[in-house]
Each structure stands twice: as structure tokens, then as C-alpha cells.
Amino acid sequence: QVEVRVSGEPLEASAEPQSDAGVTPGPVSVEPGTPAYQAEAWVALGNPPGDLGYDIRYNFDDHDVWYVTDGTAGFHISTDRGLTWEPSNNGIAGFEATSNVPVFSATVDPHDPDTIWIGTQYTGHIYKSTDGGQTWMLMDDGVEPHSGLHFRGFTVDPRSSDIVYAQAEVDSRVLVEAGRPGPNPDPATVGGRVYRTTDGGEHWSMIWEGDALARYLWIDPGDPDVLYVSTGIFDRSPLNSPPGMLTTPWDAGGLGVLKSTDGGQSWTTLGAEQGLEMLHVGSLYMKPGDPQTLLAGTGATTLGGEGEPSGIVYLTQDGGDSWQAVITGDVAIGAVEFCEQDPQIAYAAGELRVYRSADGGLTWQGYGDESRETWGPPGLYPGMPIDIQVDPDDPECNRLFINNYIGGNFLSTDGGKTWSVATQGYSGAYVFGLDAAADTPGLVYAGVRMAAFVSADGGDTWSSISNPDLVMGVLTQALDPSDSDHLLIFEGERGTVAPPLFESYDGGSSWERVFSLACPPGITDDAWGRMKFWEMAFAPSDTSIVYGASLNPPPDFEAQMGDDYLIGVGVYRSSDGGTTWAAANDASIANLGFASIAVHPTDPQTVYAGTHGGQIFQTTDGGQSWEERSSGLPSEYNIIRALAIDAGQPEMIFAGTSTGMFRSLDGGASWEQVTAGLVPEETVTDIVLDPSHAGVLYAGTARGGVFYSMDGGESFTVLQQGLDTSRGGLAIQRLALSADGSVLYAGTRGQGVYRLDAAAAPQS
């Protein structure tokens, strides 16, 4: 989000009453505080929740100790039964030189609870801990190649800790490079593998490879040569999908459940002939004390086409020889589980509901919010359940957790009827929007992939504000600088087609859908793609005026898609605080895509907009005409990621780009690169100017964290102070600064929000 910040002396607050539109022109007056860069240390807030939650487990000897994994935030430990969490990633390599730690799966050794196995997403590594997850050792000799493998699960043999199975997903390109392509040439399809070690992880051997990913493996404790493996998951297409994949999950390939009776030397497939008609089996659970009884959760959501819901739970009571559907009608079932202390109680969780059975899985009661068509806490759409864990000390089996894609970890204490967020200290959130209220200290809004959130205590705790209509997360947001209750949010992930714009005048308690960029006649859906406002900005001097920068980003953020592909439809303007919108273009920008926008501090008709292609344009008449102002900017491909204007010196403008930081001292007529203290080629993702301290500004970067300048951008210094970039680059998405300049918030790509507070007491 592009922010316009004031430098110099505080400006006077407007004395005008609130207008009918709910906006009050003019900035808010505050006393300057201690500049944020003087703070002792950053604080990782461990919130808002998200992002790619996966497994949740507990220590068999100490039931106060629980574990969660996340595809961006890594491995976390709780010592208070899952209420608060601490990251524990010592020894685990990050993903592609970032601070993100892509841990997917985790399994605690039932013979020795201090031994834990984890596997990574994308990087294809296996790690082992022998001290309860405090430190990790790489243990994947025999696994080749690593890139393109995603470890989905581990199973320890009931006879020995030395015998462990690892289940994996394999990208199709890995198989093509190995000379074993699948029948579908689409690079989005995936296959699967099962590995086994017999020496505690010193060496692994592949014992199965096939056309669908392998996730859960169950061993018959009475006959450990009998193995069951679930294949597929809701958001992956198997190698044996028909070419083009324009089909429904019902005829889009898949395998079902694999069974071996000789310890994995040979396998049979349990599928439609046995009654298991939905072959995308994302979850499998064996009933304690009855290894012939298993539950299978099925379904797929990304295979294209229309058809009946594929979220079905199947039950077998004869070791897979026959299966019966016991739950139908959900979109997809992501997790199933029997309660270990009372196996007659079972759970299943899908996109629409959480289900509970009290008779061993034969009949079920579903719980969910019919109005939102989902389950989970009020005010958010939690995402797809991916793993269930029942508290082993609850004899009624009513206390359980669900860790899930997009939404992190959730807790129910009444058997799945109601839910609360249980992610304090655990966040892998991608922060797409971040704003600090000018008139209310400690009030912060954050928009992440799961939902919109608000904090009233500087980010220590967060509450969702997405109910009832705004359910799909946040692409970008803008907070009215004159009214902290007035918020605009573009809904949806960055891949969502035609997302809507929502407006709230009560701090997110209620929302109204006010606008969407509608595809014009004659334009194909492929050409229109993901068109939306990428950034929005209120005019600081008249907040009834808001500008939106449109962009339809290509999937790889570099290449165009076809001759008719529209990268953008220029700039839009609202004159009523964001409720209604109209194009504010001339012919020079009407078909351009813009990634940033900033409004002059005292003239709401003067606006700067930065394109996805490296140009900057200026209007001085509210968008009727535009002039390119790119002299001095790089000629090679570039993205203008952020723009900010110095309110004390409006001729001074800063541009953060994908090839460094640039500054103009003449209102955009010319630009020069700022390099002192910065890596010249570093991507600058956001810029904020201190509203209370002249010459102070902050810059967020894609790899190096946050930098500050005390001299108007002449030179920069890194704000290290505990913002750890030693594991790799920490990707900053958004910055927000309190009105007095004392508190700086940094929203990251995969690590939630950090806070730098100069007024906070020194840490002991």
C-alpha cells in the first residue's frame, strides 16, 4: 500500500464536522514521539493468523506440549496445550534465500516422543529432531532430487524407531527430467512417492512411485506388513488427469487408497471397484484397536469443470475390501480422525462443515455457518481443514484442533460446534494490507490472505473483521486518514477473478459491497483475468477523494499472456470516499497496469501513478489528462512498487521499484537513484515518511528487511534490531507508521507482522 506521510511540524486538525459521506478532510494533529528507529528491538507479533497450516501433533509423554507446522512459518511448539506458540526452526533451511521455512508434515515417534520427523514443501528435505523439536538434523540421504519434492507425511513402524516411511508429492517436471513423464503433459500435475528408512534416517529408499501424491500411511499394528496409503489431495491434479483437465473431479484421474500386505514390496489399488468412487483421497485414519476400520476423506477443488460436490467421507470395516459413503455433499473433505481415547467418536472436516460421529463413523452431525457456507470462528473464512488432532486428555473427545490451509490453527472445546483462533505466536501470514490509525494509538488494521483483522493494542492481539460478507481475505486496503472507522478493502487473493471492493464506516463491524471492475463487452475472461485495484490512496487534504490503481498481473509477474491480454485499465477515482468509482484516464494510460499510486498532500487533483512496466505518470486535473514523468528511471523492465510524497516538501517524491529506490526533487520531472546504505538492485516494496519528524522515512525491501533515513533519503541504515534476516531475505510487503512517528509496523510475506516501538520499555 502506498502511504502519504507528513514530514516536519504536525499539521492542525480540521475543525470541520463529519460530512454526510462519512469523511472529514484534513490530517490529525498529534505530538511527536520518539522516532521509531531509536527503538531497542523489533517484536515478532506472531499474528495475524495464517498461512499454509498443515499438521498438528502433541508429545505423547507430556500432553501440555503440542506442535504445528506451516508451509511458510515452519515448525512451532506450544507448552500450554496449544494456546500460544513459539517458532523452533533451528537447523531447517529456508526457502530460496528467504526467511520462510516451508515445513509441511510432522510426526512424533511413538517409541520416543523426543524424536520428531518433519518434511519440507518445495525443497524436498527430511529433518529429524531428537530433542523434542528444539534442533533439527538433515536426514535425507537417498532422496533425489530435492527440488520439486514435497513431503506430505511420515509414519513410524510400531516395531522400531529405525523403520520410518515418508510420503511425498513429486512435481511432473521432476519426472520429465528423469525420463518418466506422466500421461498428462500439463506441468501442474503431480505424482507421488513413498520412501522408507530402516536405519533411523541414515538412508532412504523409494518403495513406491505413482500417478498421485502420497500423504498418509497407516500400518496394521497386529501385522506391520499390512500398509495403507492415501493418495491425492484437494488442490493437486494427478498425473493421470485427462489432458487439458477440463473435467470434474469424478473423471479427472486419481488412484484412491493403496494397500500392501508384504511391507511395501507390492501394492494393490482400492478404488471404484471397492466402492471408493472419489479417488482423490486427501485424508485417511485407522480406527484405534480395529485396524480393519478406516475413514477416508476425499474431494478436489482445482480440477476445473462443473459437477456434484466431491467432498465425501468413506468408511471401510473390512480392510478396504468395501467402502461406504457416510458423508456426502461437501466441497472437499480435508481431514478425518478417530478419537484415540474413545474410538467411537470420529471427526471429519470439509470446506463447508465440521462433522462429528458418536457411533464409529456410521452417522454424523455437521456443524457450520450456513450463511457463510463455512465453519470456524465468526468473522472469517478459515480455509480448507488439513489436519485434526483431538486432545488426548479429554475423555469426552470435545477438545480438538484443526490446522488448515490459509487460516492457521483453530480450537474447539465443544466437539466442533464453535471455534476460536489458536495461533498466538504462530503466523505465516502474507500481509497484503497494513494501516495504523492516525487518531487512535495502537489501532492497526491488517489484511491477509485469510481475512481482514484489527488490533487495538498495537498488534499484540487481533480480531477478525470480515463478517458477514467479506470472507475471502484481502488483496489490498486503504484507511481513511481522517476517520479510523472508514476502511476500503479489495477482497480476495491475488489470483481471485473479479474480486469486489468493500467499504466499512464502523471499523469493520459491517461491510457493504460497493464496486467491482466489470469485464467490458467483447473482452474474454482470459484477457480480463485477475483485473483489480492493486493499490488505493485517499487524498490527504480531501478524503472524499480516493484513487485506485488497476492491474491484471501475469501469473509469473513478468510475461504478458497472449495478444489480447489486458495488463490494466488505468486509474479510477471516487469522489464520495470510495463508494462509487469512475475511470480517471486519458488515452495514454487507459490500457496500462499500475502497481502504486500517491496523492499530493494539499492538492487532491495532483496524483502520481507507477506502472507495472516501470513508468511514472502524473495528473494535475484529477485524472482527465496524464503526463509521463519517468526521466532518469531505468529503461529495462521494472515495476514501480511504491510511491510516497514528502508533505513538507511536495516536490520531493520517492519511488520504490524492483530495481532499487529513486528520488525526485522536482515533482517527478527527473529521478535519481538513491544507493547510500541500500543494495542498488534491491526491490523496494513500500515507503512511509514520518509524519512528525522532518527528513525521516522508512523503506521496506523484498530481501533485506527495513531501512531508515534521517536526511530525506540521502542515505539509509538497516533497522536490524532483532528483525532476523540471517536465515535469508525477510520479504517486507507493507509498512505502517503511527501518527507520532514512534511505532513502525512491518507486514511480511510469510512471517506475519513485526512492531518497532520506541516508546516500549527496554526488554530484559
Side-chain angles (χ1 to χ4, degrees):
Q1 174 184 346
V2 177
E3 310 230 10
V4 178
R5 302 301 188 188
V6 182
S7 69
E9 294 300 316
L11 302 182
E12 292 298 321
S14 171
E16 298 180 18
Q18 183 170 325
S19 68
D20 291 340
V23 292
T24 305
V28 175
S29 178
V30 296
E31 291 294 325
T34 303
Y37 65 79
Q38 295 184 18
E40 181 174 288
W42 288 93
V43 176
L45 300 178
N47 251 314
D51 188 59
L52 286 179
Y54 206 74
D55 280 340
I56 179 162
R57 302 285 185 261
Y58 62 87
N59 185 293
F60 299 123
D61 282 351
D62 184 351
H63 296 170
D64 287 335
V65 177
W66 287 64
Y67 313 104
V68 292
T69 65
D70 188 274
T72 55
F75 188 84
H76 284 67
I77 301 175
S78 171
T79 58
D80 56 9
R81 305 182 78 82
L83 299 180
T84 61
W85 303 87
E86 291 285 343
S88 184
N89 295 309
N90 185 21
I92 308 172
F95 176 61
E96 292 185 354
T98 75
S99 290
N100 293 350
V101 185
V103 178
F104 245 14
S105 50
T107 290
V108 180
D109 187 339
H111 308 288
D112 178 8
D114 284 335
T115 297
I116 305 172
W117 295 92
I118 62 171
T120 65
Q121 181 190 27
Y122 299 118
T123 59
H125 288 301
I126 296 173
Y127 292 88
K128 180 181 182 180
S129 175
T130 58
D131 56 10
Q134 299 299 319
T135 60
W136 298 94
M137 302 173 288
L138 185 63
M139 300 285 283
D140 54 19
D141 181 58
V143 175
E144 292 277 338
H146 299 293
S147 178
L149 288 183
H150 319 259
F151 279 100
R152 293 278 184 173
F154 295 86
T155 304
V156 180
D157 193 287
R159 294 167 293 187
S160 171
S161 295
D162 288 335
I163 305 174
V164 184
Y165 297 86
Q167 298 79 251
E169 170 190 336
V170 188
D171 291 351
S172 62
R173 67 172 179 81
V174 173
L175 301 176
V176 170
E177 292 169 359
R180 299 191 301 275
N184 189 329
D186 193 312
T189 58
V190 301
R193 292 176 180 171
V194 177
Y195 291 87
R196 179 174 58 197
T197 179
T198 58
D199 54 15
E202 295 293 334
H203 180 78
W204 297 83
S205 299
M206 186 169 60
I207 62 171
W208 177 84
E209 185 172 38
D211 286 348
L213 68 85
R215 187 172 179 211
Y216 287 106
L217 185 148
W218 285 93
I219 304 172
D220 184 337
D223 183 358
D225 285 335
V226 176
L227 313 175
Y228 299 87
V229 177
S230 67
T231 66
I233 202 167
F234 73 97
D235 64 345
R236 294 292 189 271
S237 302
L239 290 174
N240 62 2
S241 299
M245 294 190 294
L246 296 177
T247 183
T248 74
W250 292 95
D251 55 1
L255 295 177
V257 173
L258 307 175
K259 183 176 181 179
S260 174
T261 58
D262 54 14
Q265 298 181 58
S266 62
W267 299 88
T268 58
T269 302
L270 309 176
E273 292 184 1
Q274 291 76 32
L276 190 66
E277 295 180 326
M278 171 44 58
L279 300 178
H280 308 283
V281 185
S283 187
L284 188 69
Y285 208 95
M286 180 180 287
K287 187 176 183 180
D290 182 5
Q292 294 289 298
T293 298
L294 296 96
L295 286 172
T298 70
T301 61
T302 60
L303 293 169
E306 299 292 337
E308 294 296 321
S310 60
I312 298 175
V313 175
Y314 292 92
L315 174 70
T316 180
Q317 296 175 301
D318 54 16
D321 289 343
S322 63
W323 299 79
Q324 60 176 314
V326 292
I327 295 176
T328 59
D330 211 304
V331 176
I333 299 294
V336 294
E337 176 127 351
F338 282 105
C339 178
E340 294 288 332
Q341 56 268 33
D342 183 356
Q344 288 301 101
I345 296 176
Y347 287 96
E351 186 170 319
L352 302 182
R353 299 174 188 87
V354 173
Y355 306 85
R356 189 179 195 268
S357 172
D359 58 8
L362 293 172
T363 62
W364 298 79
Q365 174 69 50
Y367 303 107
D369 185 335
E370 298 299 328
S371 65
R372 292 184 297 134
E373 295 186 321
T374 190
W375 60 281
L380 54 84
Y381 187 96
M384 179 63 73
I386 204 70
D387 193 49
I388 303 172
Q389 187 67 69
V390 180
D391 190 322
D393 288 341
D394 179 4
E396 303 298 323
C397 302
N398 285 327
R399 189 178 194 268
L400 66 152
F401 290 93
I402 291 181
N403 201 18
N404 59 295
Y405 272 27
I406 308 304
N409 197 43
F410 297 91
L411 169 66
S412 175
T413 58
D414 56 11
K417 297 176 184 178
T418 62
W419 294 86
S420 60
V421 177
T423 62
Q424 184 64 40
Y426 150 44
S427 176
Y430 284 41
V431 182
F432 293 133
L434 189 63
D435 289 281
D439 57 357
T440 308
L443 181 62
V444 189
Y445 294 95
V448 303
R449 288 210 300 176
M450 181 179 63
F453 288 87
V454 65
S455 174
D457 53 14
D460 288 333
T461 59
W462 297 81
S463 301
S464 171
I465 52 171
S466 290
N467 196 52
D469 300 312
L470 179 64
V471 298
M472 289 300 293
V474 176
L475 165 71
T476 192
Q477 69 184 42
L479 178 64
D480 187 333
S482 66
D483 180 359
S484 60
D485 286 333
H486 183 209
L487 191 67
L488 299 175
I489 280 180
F490 236 100
E491 181 191 61
E493 293 186 63
R494 295 190 177 234
T496 306
V497 176
L501 176 65
F502 284 86
E503 183 176 30
S504 176
Y505 275 104
D506 54 16
S509 295
S510 62
W511 294 91
E512 181 180 359
R513 180 171 178 161
V514 295
F515 180 72
S516 183
L517 283 166
C519 182
I523 303 297
T524 66
D525 289 343
D526 287 342
W528 191 248
R530 301 177 290 159
M531 192 74 72
K532 60 199 70 176
F533 287 169
W534 203 253
E535 300 289 353
M536 297 177 290
F538 283 88
S541 59
D542 181 357
T543 56
S544 67
I545 297 176
V546 196
Y547 293 89
S550 74
L551 184 63
N552 181 16
D556 61 4
F557 223 67
E558 291 288 341
Q560 302 290 320
M561 290 177 57
D563 294 337
D564 63 344
Y565 186 79
L566 295 177
I567 187 67
V569 286
V571 173
Y572 276 65
R573 170 182 164 133
S574 172
S575 297
D576 55 9
T579 304
T580 61
W581 296 79
N585 301 321
D586 62 11
S588 67
I589 72 161
N591 293 316
L592 295 181
F594 289 88
S596 55
I597 196 162
V599 189
H600 192 282
T602 59
D603 179 8
Q605 309 305 313
T606 296
V607 184
Y608 296 85
T611 73
H612 188 274
Q615 303 161 289
I616 294 176
F617 287 83
Q618 180 195 34
T619 180
T620 58
D621 54 17
Q624 298 180 56
S625 62
W626 293 81
E627 178 183 0
E628 185 174 356
R629 310 281 274 177
S630 304
S631 177
L633 295 175
S635 57
E636 67 268 19
Y637 182 80
N638 194 15
I639 303 172
I640 310 299
R641 296 285 301 270
L643 289 169
I645 305 170
D646 189 324
Q649 306 175 69
E651 295 297 298
M652 181 181 293
I653 311 169
F654 296 89
T657 82
S658 55
T659 57
M661 167 83 86
F662 291 81
R663 182 181 64 174
S664 174
L665 300 176
D666 51 18
S670 63
W671 297 85
E672 61 179 359
Q673 187 168 14
V674 177
T675 59
L678 297 172
V679 177
E681 63 273 15
E682 174 68 276
T683 295
V684 177
T685 55
D686 203 3
I687 304 166
V688 293
L689 280 76
D690 191 320
S692 296
H693 302 92
V696 175
L697 67 149
Y698 300 88
T701 66
R703 298 279 182 182
V706 181
F707 294 78
Y708 74 98
S709 173
M710 296 185 295
D711 51 18
E714 290 290 336
S715 60
F716 284 83
T717 303
V718 65
L719 273 172
Q720 194 70 47
Q721 289 136 287
L723 195 65
D724 185 14
T725 59
S726 63
R727 299 179 55 84
L730 183 63
I732 304 299
Q733 290 276 108
R734 302 292 190 203
L735 296 175
L737 190 64
S738 64
D740 68 355
S742 67
V743 185
L744 179 66
Y745 302 92
T748 70
R749 187 176 180 85
Q751 299 290 318
V753 177
Y754 287 74
R755 182 182 66 219
L756 188 66
D757 187 353
Q763 296 181 350
S764 59

